[in-house]
């Protein structure tokens, strides 16, 4: 029955078009092919990787190309992942193929490439002839006939000719060049190593004698043979570590048919984080127990519900996730734990490993491509029962899923903005849990307005942890009014530190305690301005001021990476009085050096954490007290646990508040509460100082009191008035292009169309996006 229907396969591709394409299934593949397979198929003029999403027995098309090959032994996607990704493509309006690609580890897809080669050898006569027709044609011919085949992109890069394809096509038509295709290599593949074993059928005793014989004549061969006799099997890499320069000896033994070489698959696993120093026995407190009880009850349910676990920082939420995982594992099921940024919170992996050991797999984008591929395969093969990871781990190919827990569910990192699919892993987690009959726990110290709203309406069960473990009190938050400080002479011109903050820092340093400082802008100054004509240096590609980086004295655009040397005089009026304005982390660092020359300061922002493992190193050094002050962007506010930190200083609470986004207030509140959560995590106690120019701001006042309920009440009222989520839904339609006029016109025409059509929505715009131009693209938007 099944056999008969598999005549044709429906295949989707990771392209913007949401459409499936039909391919003929050749007889030899019909028994093996199934939904979810990756296949190699001709597509347009190329061969590329597609994903099988269905079959049909008949096809009305006249010419149907065949599936060329299956790319794996088993389907890459389970029926469950197919269903989930289909839903994502519908909900987030993108193609199914794009979502499927996002659910795979990067770099495993094959694609053919077009190359251009010349039909004739290089000759100066031909070049001369072409030059007369068109100099670009001759340069292209010269390049290819001398340097060999090239891709169109390669040619464009090397020759810097616009419209390369136009001239190439011309040369192809005239017979000078030909285009052909070749498969590109996937970026990752299974890694093998060479292993050495004894040739089958040899008697051990005989071999031991042989080793003795060789001792005199060829001592190295004897040594190699003895090692293999002892180990049974050893990788070539390990052997050369034990016996340097063993190549010759090994070859002789293989030639004599004493040893044989084989291949074995190896897994690239990330280096283990240092273990947690044993699991301490933890007895859950009453609130934790109560939460766990309710969760365990739902695990048994046929249609389990969603939990919102609202617990202040350090109240033992992670412990609840761990115990919930244990419950799920005990029932033979599996669990996913999602965290916003795993490289910033390595402790969580260590804690899960402490409980579940080798059953824990890790998935996140800071692993190497090979490590990610291997982790994915191990999950798929059932070697892991718990996966801890960032956003994309929501697609982890676990079977029999019983639980998804999302820590810090409000965090913006769960959202993928670029490229498609533009999804929020929280929504995907909720859907995946629903499809699997799994429990979903959303945890947070400051739940998103949306999740709290759903809890208040009874759609989610609310669980609360009201106290920090060991009753350590929440730190005291002090708002410092910078205008008042200035009036009282407690803020020096050009300083970023109020005297209040300086005094507190001095006291902590004296006591040998640690400090975290948050400044949510990197670089030195965020813009530079001429005192005389008011000119501000801006990016050539974007409508944004350039940030000054002091180390190499360059101005950089934080959107497109454009850079140029910082000017010493104003490029417009020639004036020499250029002011560096706006505060970045580098500037805070410089001022710290002059305020506290003996304090050891480490800076953590995008500029200091580019290298692999850089985050971990900084965090580890700080926790080993190699530094007194950790200064950085919002990275320093994430869930770190440093018992000796007793002061958190927020240089400016206003940076985030000013953002033109309806969530700016919410984000500020969350950031402040999170930052506060880094202070006073031990009986040493702790406090928080927040500098601001708008101390009367309601949100800052609520944060000062740790008053989540009040903040939520105000915020939900505001949103109700404006119809913002969760009381309404917003869709942003972005238009971008190189010509502003065209972009504006197209956006306008689309808005007219929407208004004409009408529907249960209101059309706002088109209007220029908050940043009109980024990377030379003009941007307009319509909001529904
Ligand atoms: P959160 O995730 O809410 O920040 P954690 O689960 O990380 O809180 O708990 C904070 C600290 O308290 C951790 O070191 C954890 O091991 C410890 N802890 C959690 N629950 C208990 C408990 N019931 N008894 C003792 N220590 C606990
Ligand atoms: Zn730019």
């Amino acid at each position: 029955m099944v056999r008969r229907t598999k005549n044709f396969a429906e295949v989707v591709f990771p392209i913007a078009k949401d459409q499936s394409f039909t391919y003929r299934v050749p007889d030899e593949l019909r028994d093996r092919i199934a939904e979810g397979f990756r296949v190699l198929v001709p597509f347009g003029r190329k061969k590329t990787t597609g994903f099988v999403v269905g079959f049909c027995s008949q096809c009305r098309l006249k010419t149907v190309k065949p599936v060329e090959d299956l790319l794996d032994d088993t389907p890459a996607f389970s029926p469950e992942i197919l269903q989930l990704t289909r839903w994502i493509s519908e909900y987030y309006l993108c193609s199914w193929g794009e979502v499927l690609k996002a659910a795979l580890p990067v770099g495993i897809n094959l694609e053919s490439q077009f190359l251009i080669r010349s039909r004739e050898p290089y000759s100066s006569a031909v070049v001369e002839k072409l030059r007369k027709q068109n100099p670009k044609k001759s340069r292209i011919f010269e390049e290819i006939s001398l340097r060999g085949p090239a891709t169109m992109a390669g040619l464009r890069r090397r020759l810097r000719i616009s419209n390369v394809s136009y001239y190439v096509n011309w040369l192809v038509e005239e017979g000078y060049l030909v285009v052909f295709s070749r498969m590109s290599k996937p970026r990752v593949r299974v890694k093998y190593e060479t292993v050495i074993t004894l040739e089958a059928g040899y008697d051990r005793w005989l071999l031991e004698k042989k080793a003795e014989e060789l001792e005199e004549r060829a001592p190295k061969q004897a040594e190699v043979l003895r090692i293999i006799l002892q180990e049974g099997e050893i990788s070539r890499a390990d052997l050369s570590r034990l016996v340097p320069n063993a190549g010759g000896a090994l070859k002789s033994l293989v030639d004599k048919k004493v040893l044989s070489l084989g291949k074995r698959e190896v897994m690239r696993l990330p280096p283990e984080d240092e273990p947690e120093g044993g699991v301490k026995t933890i007895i859950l407190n009453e609130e934790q127990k109560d939460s766990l009880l309710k969760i365990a009850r739902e695990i048994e349910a046929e249609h389990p519900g969603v939990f919102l676990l609202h617990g202040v920082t350090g109240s033992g939420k992670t412990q609840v996730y761990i115990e919930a995982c244990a419950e799920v594992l005990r029932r033979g099921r599996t669990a996913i734990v999602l965290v916003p940024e795993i490289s910033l919170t390595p402790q969580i992996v260590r804690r899960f490993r402490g409980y579940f050991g080798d059953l824990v797999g890790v998935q996140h984008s800071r692993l190497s491509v090979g490590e990610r591929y291997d982790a994915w395969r191990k999950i798929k093969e059932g070697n892991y029962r718990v996966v801890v990871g960032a956003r994309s781990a929501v697609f982890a190919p676990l079977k029999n899923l019983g639980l998804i827990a999302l820590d810090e569910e409000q965090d913006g990192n769960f959202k993928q903005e670029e490229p498609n699919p533009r999804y929020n892993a929280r929504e995907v987690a909720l859907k995946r849990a629903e499809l699997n009959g799994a429990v979903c726990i959303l945890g947070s110290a400051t739940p998103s307005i949306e999740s709290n709203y759903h809890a208040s309406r009874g759609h989610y069960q609310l669980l609360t942890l009201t106290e920090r473990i060991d009753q350590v009190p929440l730190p005291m938050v002090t708002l410092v009014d910078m205008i008042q400080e200035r009036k009282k002479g407690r803020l020096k011109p050009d300083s970023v530190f109020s005297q209040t903050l300086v005094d507190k820092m001095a006291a902590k340093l004296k006591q040998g305690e640690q400090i975290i400082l948050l400044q949510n802008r990197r670089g030195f100054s965020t813009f530079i301005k001429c005192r005389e004509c008011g000119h501000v240096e801006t990016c050539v590609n974007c409508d944004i001021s350039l940030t000054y980086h002091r180390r190499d004295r360059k101005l950089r655009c934080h959107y497109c990476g454009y850079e140029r040397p910082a000017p010493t005089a104003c490029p417009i009026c020639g004036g020499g009085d250029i002011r560096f304005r706006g505060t970045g982390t580098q500037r805070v660092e410089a001022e710290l050096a002059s305020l506290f020359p003996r304090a050891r300061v480490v800076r953590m922002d995008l500029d200091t954490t580019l290298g692999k493992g850089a985050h971990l190193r900084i965090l580890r050094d700080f926790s080993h007290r190699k530094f007194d002050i950790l200064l950085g962007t919002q990275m320093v506010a994430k869930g770190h646990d440093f018992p000796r930190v007793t002061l958190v200083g927020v240089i400016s609470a206003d940076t985030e508040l000013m953002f033109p986004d309806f969530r700016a207030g919410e984000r500020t509140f969350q950031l402040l509460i999170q930052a506060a959560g880094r202070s006073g995590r031990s009986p040493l106690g702790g406090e928080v100082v927040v500098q601001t120019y708008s101390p009367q701001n309601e949100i800052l006042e609520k944060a000062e009191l740790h008053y989540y309920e009040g903040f939520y009440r105000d915020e939900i009222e505001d949103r109700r008035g404006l119809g913002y989520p969760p009381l309404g839904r917003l869709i942003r339609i972005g238009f971008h292009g190189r010509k502003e006029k065209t972009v504006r016109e197209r956006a306008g025409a689309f808005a007219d169309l929407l208004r004409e059509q009408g529907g249960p929505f209101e059309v706002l715009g088109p209007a220029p996006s908050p940043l009109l131009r980024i990377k030379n693209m003009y941007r307009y938007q319509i909001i529904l």
Side-chain angles (χ1 to χ4, degrees), residues 276 280-285 288 311-322 351 355 407-408 465 469-470 639 641 678 681:
E276 175 86 322
K280 46 178 178 177
T281 331
I282 284 181
I283 299 163
L284 295 186
N285 64 29
Q288 287 172 315
V312 295
T313 47
S315 60
K317 294 185 292 297
T318 310
Q319 202 58 37
V320 173
Y321 310 142
I322 289 173
R351 267 170 83 182
Y355 279 84
D407 193 33
E408 301 299 345
L465 305 179
I469 297 298
D470 299 332
D641 190 1
R678 300 314 112 220
R681 293 176 73 92

Side-chain angles (χ1 to χ4, degrees), residues 357-643:
D358 292 342
L359 296 179
V360 179
V362 182
Q363 249 195 346
H364 60 93
S365 59
R366 285 210 179 235
L367 300 177
S368 75
V369 170
E371 287 166 354
R372 271 191 268 174
Y373 179 41
D374 291 349
W376 181 80
R377 282 189 304 141
K378 281 193 77 171
I379 298 167
K380 199 157 163 286
E381 284 158 18
N383 291 319
Y384 295 130
R385 310 283 307 285
V386 179
V387 172
V388 181
R391 179 170 72 213
S392 64
V394 74
F395 297 112
L398 286 167
K399 291 183 194 87
N400 202 5
L401 195 62
L403 170 74
I404 306 182
L406 240 103
D407 193 33
E408 301 299 345
E409 59 86 26
Q410 83 291 347
D411 199 292
N413 270 327
F414 284 122
K415 224 169 171 175
Q416 171 155 316
E417 312 263 356
E418 207 61 89
N420 272 342
R422 294 169 161 82
Y423 68 98
N424 186 332
R426 179 180 64 207
E427 308 307 313
V428 175
L430 289 167
K431 188 68 192 181
R432 190 166 181 198
E434 183 197 316
L435 291 175
N436 281 277
V439 169
C440 191
I441 309 175
L442 308 178
S444 178
T446 49
S448 63
I449 298 289
E450 285 87 344
S451 296
N452 206 55
Y453 176 75
H454 292 311
S456 75
R457 300 287 300 251
H459 301 149
Y460 301 167
Q461 273 193 63
L462 183 66
L463 307 171
T464 44
L465 305 179
T466 51
E467 281 192 346
R468 279 186 154 183
I469 297 298
D470 299 332
Q471 276 80 45
V472 182
L474 284 170
M476 205 178 66
V477 179
T478 312
L479 289 184
V480 175
D481 181 343
M482 297 295 267
I483 299 171
Q484 284 301 322
E485 289 273 311
R486 173 154 289 153
K487 277 191 190 146
K488 292 185 196 149
R490 291 170 59 79
L491 176 64
K492 297 197 194 75
D494 275 345
S495 172
V496 299
F497 291 102
S498 64
Q499 196 58 42
T500 309
L501 182 51
V502 172
D503 292 345
K504 288 195 194 283
M505 287 170 65
K508 299 299 178 191
L509 289 172
K510 203 160 154 210
Q511 286 161 20
E513 292 167 6
Q514 288 179 302
I515 300 169
I516 290 180
L517 290 179
L518 172 74
Q519 171 56 28
N520 215 0
R521 289 273 185 277
R522 65 196 169 92
F524 188 83
S525 41
T526 49
F527 61 101
I528 72 167
K529 187 171 184 177
C530 170
R531 235 349 224 324
E532 278 152 43
C533 72
H535 167 74
V536 172
E537 284 279 89
T538 54
C539 178
V540 293
N541 306 316
C542 315
D543 284 337
I544 190 97
S545 56
L546 292 169
T547 298
Y548 176 56
H549 284 248
R550 200 158 81 145
R551 199 178 53 77
D552 48 8
R553 296 181 187 284
K554 277 196 171 141
L555 299 179
R556 287 214 171 84
C557 171
H558 285 180
Y559 281 84
C560 73
Y562 168 81
E563 58 177 47
R564 66 166 174 259
T568 48
C570 173
I572 301 300
C573 73
D577 195 2
I578 293 180
R579 291 296 165 101
F580 294 83
R581 311 298 295 270
T583 306
T585 45
Q586 292 180 6
R587 174 162 178 176
V588 179
E589 189 181 30
E591 200 182 336
L592 277 177
S594 68
L595 277 174
F596 304 107
R598 295 231 301 283
R600 298 161 303 166
V601 179
V602 62
R603 177 160 62 88
M604 184 157 114
D605 55 29
L606 208 65
D607 299 311
T608 62
T609 53
L610 283 176
K612 197 180 174 199
H615 290 97
L616 282 181
R617 216 162 30 245
I618 294 174
L619 294 171
R620 192 163 44 217
D621 288 351
F622 187 64
S623 88
H624 292 168
R625 301 178 60 194
K626 289 189 189 158
F627 297 101
D628 306 305
I629 302 177
L630 171 64
L631 156 71
T633 49
Q634 93 292 0
M635 295 178 184
V636 301
K638 303 285 159 156
H640 320 300
D641 190 1
F642 303 117

